[in-house]
Amino acid sequence: MNAAAPQPPPEPAAAKKPARELAPALLGLLSASPFGLLMLFGFVAPLLCVVWFGFMPPKTFSLLQAPTLENYRTIFDQTYFKSILWSLGLAGGTVLVLLVICYPLAFAMAKIFRGGAAFVTYAIATSLFVSENIRLFGWVIGFMKKGVVGGTLAAWFDLQIDSLLYNVPVIILGMVYVYLPFMLFPLVLGLKMVPDQVREAAFDLGASRWQVFRRVDLPLSMPGVLIGSLLVFVLSVGAISEAKILGGQKVVTIAADIESEFTYAQNWPLGSAISTLFIALTTVVVFFALGRFDLEKLLGKKPSE
Amino acid sequence: MESSSPATPILEVATVTKRFGGFTAVDDVSFRIQEGEFFTLVGPSGSGKTTLLRMLVGMEKPTSGELRLRGRVINDLPPNQRPTCMVFQSLALFPHLSVGRNVEFPLEIRGQRSGERRTRAWELLKLLHLDPNRYYDKNIAQCSGGERQRVALARALAYDPEILFFDEPLSALDARLRKTLQKELKDLQRGTGKTFCYVTHSLEEAMVMSDRVAILRSGLIEQIGRPDEIYSSPKNAFVAEFMGEVNLLPVVGTGDATATWDTGRKTLALALPAPLPAGAAKKLLIRPESLRFLRADETAGNTLPVRILNQFSLGSRLQYHVEVAPGCTLTVERLREERVTGDTALLGWDLGDSQLLDA
Ligand SMILES: Nc1ncnc2c1ncn2[C@@H]1O[C@H](COP(=O)(O)OP(=O)(O)OP(=O)(O)O)[C@@H](O)[C@H]1O
Ligand SMILES: [Mg+2]
């Protein structure tokens, strides 16, 4: 402040001022509190319970016992790592397949279709209105022995085929189908952020279509790619219905393992320990990915060192 | 002027038309750009400047007509195969690349080695008054408007195009920076000897930089010529008006070199610089500096009693708004020394300082 500036006359309500300055902070806190409470009691508290339960002796139902590492020993002694790998593998596969399928579609929706984009958006969003399990059973009817596909082939072309269900590709197909919107919409938004003139400038400076894609579209739409991939990965790594309904007993995912510990085996501490381990693992994978791709840097908001 | 040039044009636009649906954005336009020339397309907003430029660089295809680069028809050549390059109004820099990498982009595409690229980028940044040590690694987001402007120019020069196109690249900058960059651009064009084709909506900007100017009006070219030609003999009232503040009086001939000027309330009789058939309507152009206030004993080709409404300072000159008849004003510009006082005055001009133009 300039010392020579005339002092403003003392405010009559000077005592009120701090209260008025406090008000926005207080209001902010107040408006955040419903969500805060919900997160506290609906997410943080149960999560802490689960983590703590993982240290209780096996096959007990009380949180008030001496902690033990026995559950974790069991996990590493047995073959749970297989289920973990299956879950990570299926999720990773789903992400990759979805990236390949969705990128061109998203590109068309963001840059080529005009009114058509809204129609595609509605069409895809509508599929979310139907319960996932119902949609998956629809696939079962389609792919089972003498189902829609097999039956049609048999009737029209006299081709006898076995059930198409219960294998890894069909599980991935189901996951790809269920999680498609979660990849597509972030990609569309990401691609919409690529300015048309920047693409044209690259083209004008001699770049081929492929080079424009590699050097302009892809890096500038990276935020969408990243958000879509993370969403799909996190959702599909905990997926359970696809493997169960379409995969039968062929593949046991970690989510299925956890479910059976809590229900069939009645071993809550072991179930909790697997959950804890798996949450930790997913978190590490996600943060690793986030660290690799710095969103701010991609958007050009931060100096690249 | 056009035909007197012996050299073959570097770019020839022959009866080019562009239609969007039923709307004609560029209408049967023809002109030639000579090698090493600074050519400017001027026109008001929506006159089709961008559309024309986009066709010249290959981002849009003409509906009909031909574009010839050194005699070769290039209508169907995509932008990445044309030896031309455009600086966009939005500049269209790559936000995810540093200043240096932006400039190197066309070299990288061409497959040049990183050492050579860096040397060239360094040279170009220096040429454009950007200290490479400071700017090479800088992020685009950290550059000011004028600096980005220079980066865009350096990037375009790195492509080493035969013709450089500009679509109102300076319009987002403040007046002073714009003036500086206009001069730099002209210097750059002289220094590199490249052909520049510039688009702007400001005739003043066009006059400062260009060797030749084409004036565009709703997709049609109104006039092409050197800046002084256009200034001294505008082809019609549109061109004259576009040049800035001028007085254009709608006159109707009354036989011989006389006419009437209907000011709304009052019809005044005027003497004209040239004969006008009775009943023919034209516009009489009188520049503000050609109008002068007369002393009682002075005479001029035309004299009118006026009321002085307003007086503005333009630095060394003063501008007056004077009323000839209620609701009908003229603009007068005089040197500061010739200041007049009082409410009313006698205004006059010499016949030779006025021109008859088509409406
Ligand atoms: N892709 C398009 N589809 C339909 N009409 C278009 C298209 N591009 C331009 N136009 C129309 O063509 C006319 C000329 O547009 P253009 O962008 O060339 O004007 P301009 O002279 O560059 O104007 P400005 O000074 O505002 O940039 C405008 O009326 C515009 O609406
Ligand atoms: Mg334009």
Side-chain angles (χ1 to χ4, degrees), chain B residues 191-258:
Chain B
T192 56
K194 285 208 183 298
T195 311
F196 279 28
C197 177
Y198 195 93
V199 155
T200 174
H201 59 257
S202 150
L203 189 60
E204 196 192 337
E205 185 166 295
M207 297 283 197
V208 172
M209 298 187 287
S210 325
D211 297 321
R212 271 188 326 137
V213 176
I215 293 165
L216 216 62
R217 173 200 203 175
S218 24
L220 285 160
I221 289 198
E222 291 284 344
Q223 189 170 5
I224 301 187
R226 280 183 280 109
D228 50 332
E229 277 175 1
I230 291 182
Y231 181 83
S232 58
S233 44
K235 196 170 156 195
N236 55 30
F238 174 81
V239 175
E241 210 164 5
F242 201 61
M243 250 173 337
E245 278 184 294
V246 292
N247 300 298
L248 283 166
L249 320 183
V251 293
V252 179
T254 50
D256 232 6
T258 58

Side-chain angles (χ1 to χ4, degrees), chain A residues 197-209 211 215-216 219-220 297-304, chain B residues 54 57 59 78-80 84-86 88 90 92-96 105-106 108-109 137 139 141-142 155 159:
Chain A
Q197 295 211 327
V198 173
R199 307 185 64 248
E200 281 180 339
F203 199 38
D204 190 34
L205 289 164
S208 62
R209 279 175 206 287
Q211 281 168 322
R215 287 160 193 272
V216 178
L220 287 181
K297 193 160 145 187
L298 286 170
L299 291 173
K301 303 235 168 68
K302 240 165 64 177
S304 53
Chain B
R54 288 175 62 83
V57 288
M59 286 165 199
N80 58 355
T84 58
C85 182
M86 163 143 144
F88 290 80
S90 65
L93 293 167
F94 304 121
H96 57 301
F105 185 87
E108 212 174 324
I109 293 295
D137 287 317
N139 204 279
Q142 297 170 306
R155 185 181 69 176
Y159 183 65

Side-chain angles (χ1 to χ4, degrees), chain B residues 105-293:
Chain B
F105 185 87
L107 306 175
E108 212 174 324
I109 293 295
R110 207 169 289 165
Q112 239 180 47
R113 282 215 312 281
S114 88
E116 293 169 31
R117 288 202 311 252
R118 205 182 154 87
T119 318
R120 181 73 183 130
W122 215 260
E123 276 171 22
L124 285 167
L125 288 176
K126 264 198 201 136
L127 182 69
L128 287 153
H129 311 290
L130 290 172
D131 175 13
N133 288 308
R134 271 186 61 208
Y135 286 95
Y136 185 87
D137 287 317
K138 219 172 184 181
N139 204 279
I140 292 299
Q142 297 170 306
C143 294
S144 72
E147 287 161 359
R148 280 181 215 192
Q149 190 60 61
R150 295 190 159 110
V151 177
L153 206 53
R155 185 181 69 176
L157 286 172
Y159 183 65
D160 197 23
E162 291 187 31
I163 310 180
L164 224 77
F165 292 96
F166 299 86
D167 189 6
E168 306 198 38
L170 305 182
S171 60
L173 304 175
D174 73 84
R176 260 189 60 193
L177 186 57
R178 193 157 60 221
K179 288 233 162 65
T180 316
L181 285 169
Q182 282 169 8
K183 303 231 165 69
E184 277 183 28
L185 212 56
K186 181 71 200 165
D187 288 344
L188 193 72
Q189 190 257 340
R190 284 236 179 79
T192 56
K194 285 208 183 298
T195 311
F196 279 28
C197 177
Y198 195 93
V199 155
T200 174
H201 59 257
S202 150
L203 189 60
E204 196 192 337
E205 185 166 295
M207 297 283 197
V208 172
M209 298 187 287
S210 325
D211 297 321
R212 271 188 326 137
V213 176
I215 293 165
L216 216 62
R217 173 200 203 175
S218 24
L220 285 160
I221 289 198
E222 291 284 344
Q223 189 170 5
I224 301 187
R226 280 183 280 109
D228 50 332
E229 277 175 1
I230 291 182
Y231 181 83
S232 58
S233 44
K235 196 170 156 195
N236 55 30
F238 174 81
V239 175
E241 210 164 5
F242 201 61
M243 250 173 337
E245 278 184 294
V246 292
N247 300 298
L248 283 166
L249 320 183
V251 293
V252 179
T254 50
D256 232 6
T258 58
T260 54
W261 172 27
D262 185 6
T263 61
R265 294 279 180 84
K266 207 158 64 166
T267 304
L268 301 170
L270 295 180
L272 299 179
L276 183 62
K282 288 230 177 188
K283 291 260 172 110
L284 188 66
L285 166 71
I286 315 161
R287 294 179 201 284
E289 59 272 22
S290 305
L291 288 170
R292 58 195 159 93
F293 296 108

